[in-house]
Amino acid sequence: MKPILALDFGGTKLAAALVNPGEREWWRYERCLSPMNADASTDLEIMRSLIHSLLQGTTPSAIGVSFGGPVDATTGTVKLSHHVPGWENIPLQDLLTAEFGVPTTVDNDANVAALGEYRFGAGQGYDSLFYITISTGVGGGWVLNGKPWRGASGMAGEIGHMVVDPSGPLCLCGKQGCVERLASGPYMAQNARDILANRAKLHHGTILKNLVADDLNSLTGKLVSEAAAQGDDIAQAVLQKSAWALGVGIGNVANLINPQRFILGGSVTKASASWWSVVQKTARETALPEVSLEIVPAALGDDAPLWGAVALSGQ
Ligand code: ADP
Ligand code: ZN
């Protein structure tokens, strides 16, 4: 039996893997970081070289692809990437089908990761789940009645741009107080930076300032969570707001759709036990008491999109 080829075009990294049908471990696996000034053609070139070093002359039976950006899943055409220029309207499915001569399926990374968790991870045995990734951005993907639910124009699951604080800070999408604007790693860094730049709080946030040697531009979400763990008051407030925003979003989604499970992945979920408990508590307070609510960590970690790509390929 021929292996399945799974591809993951992420915002910062590219990964490719081969698995034999029915197996739960990669046969071969390759991954590398995107270069700093990557565009669609450099990403495609790097992915081609990963694929060739994986295949070594063999032919896969099918290709499944996770793409980090909006995709028209009916045609497998990438709409654009928010991180890498040049992806506008690239017919990725057609390109790969023509190049490798096998059936190829392409979908957005959150949808694909949801499918991966459903088939191989924390969603096994649940036929309705919402997967949320909280990382550089915040995105979500649905599995309903055991199938991906993409919505009328493929945009279902955009919890990142659900407004939870209408008078909150301005988001890249043009609205105020979106979940992503408060919960994502880069926005947590920005929120901490904004508070630190406020003179009224001069004597606060000293642990955070020390961690970056007073260079506020080098602040990251990860550093915010490290400073919070060391007791920094500003970092704790920022992290708490991130968890609160996500919890409100999840509680509202629970009221509306009531899936069996919410599965949370992405680097920000590594923050701390208290981040998790604020998410749980806020979601519980936002959902009606009669609405069942289960929020669990993703099981597949960084490999969720690749395993989802395997599932997407029909395996
Ligand atoms: P990506 O998942 O987009 O490839 P990373 O995993 O490196 O990138 O980080 C995504 C975002 O999550 C960054 O803003 C980073 O600072 C943040 N992040 C990483 N680890 C943690 C953590 N333990 N707590 C909070 N935020 C984190
Ligand atoms: Zn937004």
Side-chain angles (χ1 to χ4, degrees):
M1 285 252 273
K2 289 176 178 173
I4 298 142
L5 176 61
L7 308 180
D8 176 13
F9 290 84
T12 55
K13 52 193 177 263
L14 299 161
L18 274 180
V19 66
N20 287 309
E23 291 190 359
R24 293 290 173 269
E25 277 183 34
W26 302 122
W27 174 33
R28 292 182 186 144
Y29 183 101
E30 295 272 351
R31 153 189 183 144
C32 82
L33 288 176
S34 266
M36 283 302 280
N37 44 9
D39 60 25
S41 60
T42 59
D43 270 4
L44 276 168
E45 213 37 61
I46 294 169
M47 191 57 99
R48 265 190 201 101
S49 71
L50 296 185
I51 295 171
H52 287 296
S53 83
L54 282 178
L55 289 178
Q56 297 174 15
T58 59
T59 316
S61 58
I63 305 176
V65 185
S66 164
F67 186 84
V71 170
D72 178 346
T74 56
T75 59
T77 302
V78 172
K79 292 180 186 164
L80 73 143
S81 161
H82 293 293
H83 306 284
V84 183
W87 275 106
E88 291 76 9
N89 302 315
I90 300 282
L92 187 55
Q93 185 168 305
D94 290 349
L95 283 179
L96 294 168
T97 306
E99 190 162 336
F100 296 95
V102 297
T104 303
T105 321
V106 183
D107 199 355
N108 157 265
D109 56 355
N111 291 343
V112 175
L115 199 57
E117 289 288 339
Y118 167 68
R119 284 288 306 280
F120 306 115
Q124 289 177 86
Y126 295 83
D127 72 358
S128 63
L129 64 87
F130 190 41
Y131 171 85
I132 308 173
T133 171
I134 310 101
S135 184
T136 309
V138 175
W142 282 106
V143 171
L144 291 177
N145 295 327
K147 295 201 188 85
W149 170 259
R150 300 182 175 96
S153 57
M155 294 300 287
E158 287 289 349
I159 188 173
H161 300 285
M162 174 183 276
V163 174
V164 292
D165 179 6
S167 57
L170 187 65
C171 179
L172 59 86
C173 73
K175 292 179 300 193
Q176 286 174 261
C178 302
V179 170
E180 176 167 316
R181 180 61 187 81
L182 298 166
S184 78
Y187 273 135
M188 278 200 291
Q190 185 177 324
N191 294 341
R193 218 177 282 132
D194 290 348
I195 300 173
L196 284 171
N198 177 351
R199 289 181 149 267
K201 300 261 186 180
L202 211 53
H203 302 297
H204 296 264
T206 40
I207 297 171
L208 199 50
K209 275 192 268 188
N210 287 341
L211 274 181
V212 292
D214 282 326
D215 174 14
L216 297 188
N217 290 327
S218 61
L219 257 184
T220 62
K222 189 160 190 265
L223 288 170
V224 170
S225 92
E226 280 172 28
Q230 291 174 32
D232 186 277
D233 56 347
I234 290 178
Q236 284 174 348
V238 167
L239 203 62
Q240 149 117 14
K241 189 89 185 208
S242 157
W244 171 86
L246 185 65
V248 173
I250 289 175
N252 280 311
V253 171
N255 281 338
L256 198 63
I257 308 277
N258 189 205
Q260 289 166 307
R261 274 200 155 179
F262 288 85
I263 301 177
L264 311 190
S267 302
V268 175
T269 64
K270 296 174 196 158
S272 63
S274 75
W275 183 88
W276 274 93
S277 65
V278 173
V279 173
Q280 299 272 10
K281 182 169 172 280
T282 312
R284 190 59 275 173
E285 285 167 4
T286 306
L288 288 172
E290 297 79 10
V291 173
S292 60
L293 184 62
E294 207 183 319
I295 307 170
V296 300
L300 301 173
D302 289 347
D303 280 355
L306 280 178
W307 283 111
V310 172
L312 196 63
S313 78
Q315 299 303 310

